[in-house]
Amino acid sequence: MTAVGEKTRLAVPGLSFPLGATPASGGTNFAVASASADGVTLCLFDENGAESRIPLTENDGGVWHGFVPDVDPGQAYGYRVDGPYEPGRGLRHNPAKLLLDPYARAISGTVRSGPEVFGHDPGNPDRPSAADSADFVPRSLVIEPELLWQAPLALPTRPPLPYSETIIYELHVKGFSMTNPDVPPELRGTYAGLGHEASIDHLLALGVTAVELLPVHQNVPEALLLDRGLTNYWGYNTIGFFAPHNGYSAAVRAGHPGGQVAEFKAMVDALHEAGLEVLLDVVFNHTAEGNQLGPTLSFRGLDNRGYYRLVPGDERHYYDTTGTGNSLNADDPVTLQMIMDSLRYWLLEMHVDGFRFDLAPTLARPQGGFSQVAAFFDLVAQDPVVSHTKMIAEPWDVGQSDSYDLGRFPPLWREWNGRYRDTMRDFWRGQDGLLGDVATRLAGSSDLYGKPGRRPTASINLITVHDGFSLADLVSYNEKHNEANGEDNRDGSAENRSWNCGAEGPTSDPAVLALRSRQQRAMLTTLLLSFGVPLLLGGDELGRTQGGNNNAYCQDNPISWLNWERADTDLLAFTRRLIALRRAHPVFRRRRFLTGVETDDLAWYTPAGSAMTVENWTDPQARSLALYLDGSDAPDRAVDGTPLLDDDFLVLLNGWWEPLAFTIPRTRPGQTWKPEIDTFEPSAPATPNPPSEDGVVTVGPRAVLVLRGSTR
């Protein structure tokens, strides 16, 4: 048990700003916000776990603060808060609970399972628990505020790469390098492992421009997962919005608490040196404290009514639009300040380049409904730092009539395009009546983003992400297989829009295996040649499988990790070719919408070579289409104003299960066509295609053929 020391140390008044623990000459300033507390006690822990308690007697505007002499970086600390425990009024203070600092820059340890972590009596949630939690919860750590960087500050001397040039690669810090034999064993699964040259070499050879990291904020697993011998692998269970997760740190593994901060910075430095941007998947919609029966770890014990949305008239319960038990109260000034302070911290101190916001509509519900003029959006738009970085929304949450807010975010934002995902999955598995929707998605989703102020790059195009099947599983399973999660396969979505190509799961049938490979290549080709910003799921280029698990959030094991030893090298080579084609040709990276009506830069044709008609678009059986992209008229310009001159391209899509003859449409006189990408026969030698515009070319079943034009 934790020993409690004598109260021999005192705090002098100190400062109410900045929040958190700030080392200074001769000691450290502590400041924590709680508008509803009657008193706050700072708890300091020595290397043996002995606890010293120091009351913070100064309270300015709801911020309790004090300066404690002789407290240096590395000091472990927490808070205890006195005040009413009245759940019916939304108040849940309990001094028996040791609380983490919401502004802690690093956290040591993790939550131990036990009733002590709950702030209420297990037999009566309306009564506070008297059990002390100090031995069951992690510690906040005082961190030196400035660490030297090798590279210059990310902002403003490192402007973000234009969205039109961006290719995002979503990865999990641990799973990406955990089995990579070229990464030293002691670094695998860590920030240092991601920053290792073997990891960076793969990313550079692939050709992506940005890594999007699954949550790296300090997170803790749910008790129910621990009871099953599992954990929250994905990390969407945040408890520290300023602290890099200690479980991904080689330094912490080696016995250096707090070392995750410098290690994270070194990783970012290495990625930046290689020319790669770093985006963080952030979870500001909820915390790890769950519903009214969840653990009290920080926010709930500090100011439950301030940090969380509570049900009006029934403040024992939480207003939940996240499916996790609680939703952060983004209308409260202190909570909004914490979110904005966190974003600026990761940009200015940790040098990341932008963010993807999990369940983003939850942050914009001032009166319960989604609002484009919510305070959070206003603060982001006005912030001189945050507004100049990449901001990507997951544009849906759960449980509300307006939970699917695709296309409704302000112009500054980009959005994960769920319509793109659904359309492309359905098209390639053979669904009827999709040709018009496929064309709209290929051309940047103007139905969603064609309004003033938005561009095709508002669409983050995706086919697979961490949540759901991997690409290999999308073509190998009709049904989810989540038995390993311990919920009798009840968890995870049953609507996967997948097709197993004739056999469920592993098979030795060469015809099925060949079809699966063709399906993967076809989907990757549409993804990487569509207008917008492509998002590639890490490991899809290697043929990674999760064995049909479409909800592997709790699988910190080979189910989720990339398997470098069994990589599909042919698929990897094909993906590299696709990305290189996109990066070499601006015709695929348009920054404005092309309608194909007012301009000749884009045109749609039937397989017969004639212009598409209304009847063609609305034919429910139509599954084939030709897209012509004219690169010679320079309709768009680069950032520096120079014309984006390019070759012409024809993209021929055959969604039929039989080969199909395409007549090359009349484009420009004397034009000949050379194959660049053939998803049906990717390794076949390039052969001349029709020498004139009257020729015919055959596209394989369920395949894409990309032709590049030239004139003699």
Side-chain angles (χ1 to χ4, degrees), residues 299-618:
F299 311 96
R300 173 176 289 144
L302 282 164
D303 192 348
N304 189 54
R305 290 189 303 196
Y307 282 111
Y308 295 114
R309 293 188 185 276
L310 304 178
V311 176
D314 185 13
E315 294 189 327
R316 287 178 174 82
H317 297 91
Y318 294 82
Y319 185 82
D320 181 14
T321 59
T322 67
T324 66
N326 69 59
S327 303
L328 272 181
N329 183 8
D331 297 331
D332 183 84
V334 172
T335 305
L336 272 173
Q337 178 185 347
M338 180 189 71
I339 294 171
M340 297 304 298
D341 285 348
S342 173
L343 295 176
R344 283 189 293 268
Y345 174 77
W346 287 95
L347 291 167
L348 296 175
E349 295 293 331
M350 307 299 271
H351 290 195
V352 305
D353 302 285
F355 307 95
R356 177 265 188 188
F357 290 78
D358 182 64
L359 302 181
T362 290
L363 296 171
R365 295 189 174 279
Q367 303 297 328
F370 177 80
S371 172
Q372 294 175 315
V373 293
F376 172 67
F377 289 150
D378 288 345
L379 288 176
V380 166
Q382 296 172 26
D383 190 277
V385 175
V386 179
S387 63
H388 292 285
T389 60
K390 285 187 164 70
M391 305 287 287
I392 301 169
E394 181 183 38
W396 49 80
D397 54 10
V398 299
Q400 305 299 303
S401 60
D402 61 351
S403 281
Y404 198 67
D405 294 299
L406 188 64
R408 298 184 62 198
F409 277 69
L412 173 67
W413 291 75
R414 271 59 184 175
E415 303 173 19
W416 274 23
N417 191 340
R419 284 282 299 278
Y420 184 98
R421 172 199 61 207
D422 296 346
T423 296
M424 293 308 180
R425 286 187 177 195
D426 281 344
F427 177 75
W428 287 115
R429 70 186 179 119
Q431 298 298 293
D432 292 340
L434 290 173
L435 213 55
D437 206 18
V438 167
T440 300
R441 303 303 145 226
L442 285 169
S445 295
S446 60
D447 58 333
L448 299 172
Y449 308 114
K451 64 194 69 173
R454 307 205 80 178
R455 300 287 182 93
T457 54
S459 177
I460 305 296
N461 297 329
L462 53 97
I463 292 178
T464 55
V465 291
H466 67 276
D467 186 2
F469 282 147
S470 67
L471 185 61
D473 288 354
L474 190 67
V475 300
S476 302
Y477 294 91
N478 285 348
E479 309 295 336
K480 61 181 179 175
H481 296 270
N482 299 352
E483 290 81 6
N485 296 355
E487 297 184 41
D488 297 323
N489 205 34
R490 295 188 304 270
D491 64 304
S493 174
E495 298 295 329
N496 295 290
R497 291 179 158 88
S498 61
W499 178 46
N500 65 18
C501 297
E504 187 74 357
T507 181
S508 58
D509 186 326
V512 172
L513 293 174
L515 177 55
R516 289 176 178 177
S517 294
R518 293 198 297 271
Q519 287 286 93
Q520 290 179 77
R521 292 192 295 268
M523 283 189 271
L524 285 171
T525 301
T526 49
L527 173 67
L528 286 161
L529 300 186
S530 296
F531 295 0
V533 180
L535 171 65
L536 180 67
L537 172 61
D540 275 355
E541 77 281 13
L542 306 176
R544 183 179 74 91
T545 176
Q546 295 181 165
N549 193 321
N550 76 348
N551 191 35
Y553 78 104
C554 56
Q555 300 296 331
D556 186 5
N557 53 50
I559 291 176
S560 296
W561 303 340
L562 272 63
N563 190 328
W564 293 92
E565 297 287 356
R566 299 185 62 183
D568 184 335
T569 55
D570 290 338
L571 184 61
L572 174 59
F574 180 80
T575 309
R576 288 172 173 171
R577 284 178 56 201
L578 272 176
I579 293 176
L581 180 67
R582 180 184 180 89
R583 295 189 66 172
H585 294 284
V587 73
F588 298 113
R589 309 192 309 272
R590 301 285 187 174
R591 295 189 299 114
R592 65 179 179 85
F593 285 106
L594 306 178
T595 66
V597 177
E598 294 86 358
T599 175
D600 295 327
D601 300 327
L602 175 150
W604 304 97
Y605 295 94
T606 69
S610 58
M612 291 286 290
T613 66
V614 173
E615 290 76 15
N616 298 141
W617 285 120
T618 57

Side-chain angles (χ1 to χ4, degrees), residues 47-361:
E47 62 275 10
N48 298 316
E51 177 182 350
S52 298
R53 299 179 181 178
I54 304 172
L56 299 181
T57 58
E58 297 295 320
N59 179 7
D60 291 316
V63 175
W64 301 79
H65 57 92
F67 182 88
V68 184
D70 302 322
V71 171
D72 300 319
Q75 174 69 57
Y77 72 100
Y79 293 108
R80 296 181 186 272
V81 177
D82 287 290
Y85 186 91
E86 300 178 21
R89 296 177 54 218
L91 300 170
R92 294 178 178 269
H93 299 300
N94 184 352
K97 296 296 303 173
L98 181 71
L99 304 175
L100 288 165
D101 182 357
Y103 278 69
R105 267 47 173 183
I107 291 173
S108 178
T110 189
V111 175
R112 289 174 53 196
S113 182
E116 291 83 356
V117 302
F118 299 96
H120 57 266
D121 187 325
N124 184 357
D126 286 342
R127 293 177 53 188
S129 170
D132 194 288
S133 68
D135 291 328
F136 291 80
V137 297
R139 309 282 191 262
S140 305
L141 295 178
V142 178
I143 295 296
E144 187 71 43
E146 294 182 4
L147 297 172
L148 294 178
W149 284 89
Q150 296 178 17
L153 183 65
L155 294 171
T157 58
R158 182 186 166 86
L161 187 70
Y163 281 106
S164 58
E165 310 295 317
T166 300
I167 302 171
I168 302 173
Y169 184 87
E170 186 195 39
L171 65 86
H172 188 285
V173 167
K174 183 174 184 179
F176 180 75
S177 66
M178 194 63 187
T179 69
N180 190 336
D182 295 327
V183 174
E186 67 275 12
L187 302 184
R188 294 175 191 167
T190 68
Y191 303 120
L194 178 54
H196 188 269
E197 61 182 356
S199 297
I200 292 176
D201 286 348
H202 175 77
L203 297 168
L204 292 179
L206 187 59
V208 297
T209 68
V211 291
E212 181 177 299
L213 309 183
L214 266 69
V216 296
H217 289 167
Q218 186 69 40
N219 57 80
V220 297
E222 298 90 331
L224 62 88
L225 291 178
L226 296 176
D227 291 343
R228 296 181 203 154
L230 301 170
T231 191
N232 192 317
Y233 169 71
W234 287 348
Y236 290 91
N237 214 39
T238 305
I239 199 60
F241 294 107
F242 294 78
H245 184 60
N246 54 27
Y248 305 151
S249 172
V252 172
R253 284 186 195 171
H256 303 291
Q260 62 265 41
V261 179
E263 186 177 337
F264 185 94
K265 289 186 173 185
M267 174 199 73
V268 173
D269 228 354
L271 291 166
H272 280 173
E273 184 68 21
L276 295 164
E277 293 185 319
V278 181
L279 311 178
L280 301 188
D281 193 336
V282 290
V283 190
F284 290 113
N285 56 79
H286 75 279
T287 79
E289 293 184 311
N291 64 17
Q292 67 276 6
L293 301 179
T296 297
L297 304 171
S298 179
F299 311 96
R300 173 176 289 144
L302 282 164
D303 192 348
N304 189 54
R305 290 189 303 196
Y307 282 111
Y308 295 114
R309 293 188 185 276
L310 304 178
V311 176
D314 185 13
E315 294 189 327
R316 287 178 174 82
H317 297 91
Y318 294 82
Y319 185 82
D320 181 14
T321 59
T322 67
T324 66
N326 69 59
S327 303
L328 272 181
N329 183 8
D331 297 331
D332 183 84
V334 172
T335 305
L336 272 173
Q337 178 185 347
M338 180 189 71
I339 294 171
M340 297 304 298
D341 285 348
S342 173
L343 295 176
R344 283 189 293 268
Y345 174 77
W346 287 95
L347 291 167
L348 296 175
E349 295 293 331
M350 307 299 271
H351 290 195
V352 305
D353 302 285
F355 307 95
R356 177 265 188 188
F357 290 78
D358 182 64
L359 302 181

Side-chain angles (χ1 to χ4, degrees), residues 525 529 578 581 588 649-652 674-679 704-708:
T525 301
L529 300 186
L578 272 176
L581 180 67
F588 298 113
F649 281 87
L650 275 171
V651 182
L652 312 179
K674 177 183 177 181
E676 288 287 332
I677 296 289
D678 184 350
T679 68
V704 183
L705 179 63
V706 181
L707 305 176
R708 180 161 59 92

